[in-house]
Amino acid sequence: MRAALMYGAGDVRVEDVADPVIKHPTDALVRVTAAAVCGSDLHLFNSLSPTAGPLRMGHEFVGVVEDTGSEVTTLKRGDLVVSPFAISDNTCEFCREGLHTSCTHPEANYWDFKPDEGAQAEAIRVTLADGSLVKLPVAADSALIPSLLTLADVYCTGHSAAVLGGVNEHTRVTVIGDGAAGLMAVLSAKLLGAEQIILMGRHPDRTNLGREFGATDIVAARGAEGIEAVRELTGGQGTQVVIEAVGHLPAYEQAVGVVRAGGIISRIGVPQYEEAPIGMASLFMRNVRLTGGLAPVRAYIEELMPAILNGTIEPGKIFDTTTDVDGVPAGYQSMADRQSLKVLVKP
């Protein structure tokens, strides 16, 4: 079959690889019908050392079950499924608490950490299939597939950031970053009732979509100028919740600058740094709390799916480019060049 592999920074290739096969009785084989390139994939696209590659790529997918291991009980051939980016058994102590990204099962993992599997391909072997895969009540060619695909990562991630930030009808929110995760955070904040949503972004096509999703204000400036603009919009105080959806240190520093005293910074951008201001002046003196992390996507899929199925929301609007597997390398470059917001892959 055809699959995308990353050999190093800027070097994504599509090659013929061996078809996946059942290895464990808890496995399922899934024919991928829709996948995506994630903003977090771009971190590797910009930095992967050639000595670390090649890596199979892709952690967001919808597909049709083609075969199952002998211990799989909830799935059968022909089922259409969506997979979260983290593999879990959905039964351990952490999973029962809704923290599937800390599943204790020996086979629990992240798709990005499985060098022999990836969703930017024609098929994939799913370990812990009963725990990870969620059946979708639509056909594989449904017009809802792009929106349902966002349940694999980006929509649930934006929702998680808003929930951890405590967004409600009394909060003002700043979202830093107009990529797909940031836009999903805007949508989630709107659905949770935020009274003001300030989107910090510089790309009009994206911020226009942000307005459609619920942003009340757009701030294009960055750094000190951007911080001042947000404070002007909030009576000089900043917002109670700041969702940082970029992952680079300047974005975090911007979050510190716009958060209100007593507020919460919720991070969903994968941090590309280890040291950042968390001390006396930055957080402690102002009683600012820091939260976020890898979203436990599996915990939210059933909760968020109905609004997609009934047409209340359309998170799939974040996909503005569609390609097949052979077009994945160009898709990476297009996203890296900010020509595409998010690439939908249809094998």
Side-chain angles (χ1 to χ4, degrees):
M1 68 172 186
R2 303 287 282 168
L5 296 90
M6 186 176 294
Y7 278 78
D11 186 6
V12 177
R13 310 175 197 176
V14 176
E15 298 178 349
D16 291 322
V17 300
D19 291 340
V21 296
I22 296 287
K23 295 182 179 179
H24 305 293
T26 56
D27 287 350
L29 298 184
V30 176
R31 174 171 51 84
V32 177
T33 58
V37 179
C38 183
S40 64
D41 293 336
L42 296 184
H43 292 309
L44 284 175
F45 186 71
N46 292 327
S47 65
L48 183 69
S49 168
T51 59
L55 303 176
R56 290 279 296 278
M57 297 301 297
H59 58 253
E60 305 161 282
F61 68 93
V62 166
V64 176
V65 175
E66 294 291 339
D67 196 8
T68 60
S70 60
E71 294 181 11
V72 176
T73 61
T74 63
L75 301 167
K76 65 182 186 303
R77 182 181 176 87
D79 285 341
L80 185 70
V81 294
V82 62
S83 171
F85 67 81
I87 301 160
S88 63
D89 63 12
N90 202 31
T91 60
C92 81
E93 177 184 359
F94 286 102
C95 289
R96 293 196 303 272
E97 294 174 3
L99 194 60
H100 296 72
T101 48
S102 294
C103 179
T104 58
H105 194 287
E107 292 180 31
N109 206 336
Y110 299 94
W111 288 115
D112 288 343
F113 296 162
K114 291 178 71 66
D116 59 337
E117 296 291 350
Q120 292 163 11
E122 294 177 322
I124 191 167
R125 177 179 68 92
V126 180
T127 53
L128 302 180
D130 278 331
S132 295
L133 297 176
V134 178
K135 287 192 282 189
L136 298 174
V138 300
D141 60 353
S142 168
L144 296 176
I145 293 301
S147 288
L148 291 168
L149 177 58
T150 67
L151 295 172
D153 183 350
V154 67
Y155 176 30
C156 292
T157 292
H159 176 76
S160 180
V163 168
L164 290 174
V167 176
N168 59 46
E169 65 273 15
H170 304 297
T171 51
R172 295 179 171 186
V173 180
T174 300
V175 176
I176 299 174
D178 58 7
L183 295 177
M184 292 295 93
V186 169
L187 175 64
S188 300
K190 174 65 174 179
L191 293 174
L192 291 171
E195 67 177 49
Q196 182 181 25
I197 304 171
I198 302 169
L199 174 59
M200 303 191 77
R202 300 190 303 165
H203 304 87
D205 54 335
R206 301 181 180 194
T207 55
N208 288 341
L209 184 55
R211 284 196 182 277
E212 184 178 340
F213 284 154
T216 57
D217 303 275
I218 305 297
V219 171
R222 292 181 174 181
E225 184 182 353
I227 291 169
E228 180 60 27
V230 171
R231 292 194 169 273
E232 287 181 2
L233 289 168
T234 56
Q237 298 299 320
T239 57
Q240 293 102 326
V241 181
V242 181
I243 297 174
E244 193 279 277
V246 179
H248 292 293
L249 184 57
Y252 172 77
E253 292 171 335
Q254 201 161 281
V256 172
V258 302
V259 68
R260 182 181 182 271
I264 300 175
I265 298 172
S266 183
R267 297 186 302 172
I268 52 172
V270 179
Q272 302 303 297
Y273 54 87
E274 289 296 333
E275 296 182 359
I278 59 169
M280 179 72 81
S282 55
L283 302 187
F284 191 82
M285 281 289 289
R286 297 190 296 141
N287 290 289
V288 171
R289 288 161 285 171
L290 181 62
T291 187
L294 286 166
V297 166
R298 182 63 183 83
Y300 297 122
I301 291 178
E302 284 99 345
E303 173 189 349
L304 299 180
M305 190 187 303
I308 294 174
L309 295 175
N310 66 27
T312 301
I313 58 172
E314 193 176 346
K317 287 184 177 182
I318 59 173
F319 291 107
D320 58 351
T321 301
T322 301
T323 188
D324 57 12
V325 174
D326 285 326
V328 166
Y332 271 86
Q333 193 62 58
S334 181
M335 286 180 61
D337 293 340
R338 300 297 188 267
Q339 294 175 348
S340 296
L341 170 59
K342 191 169 177 67
V343 173
L344 175 66
V345 181
K346 301 186 77 171

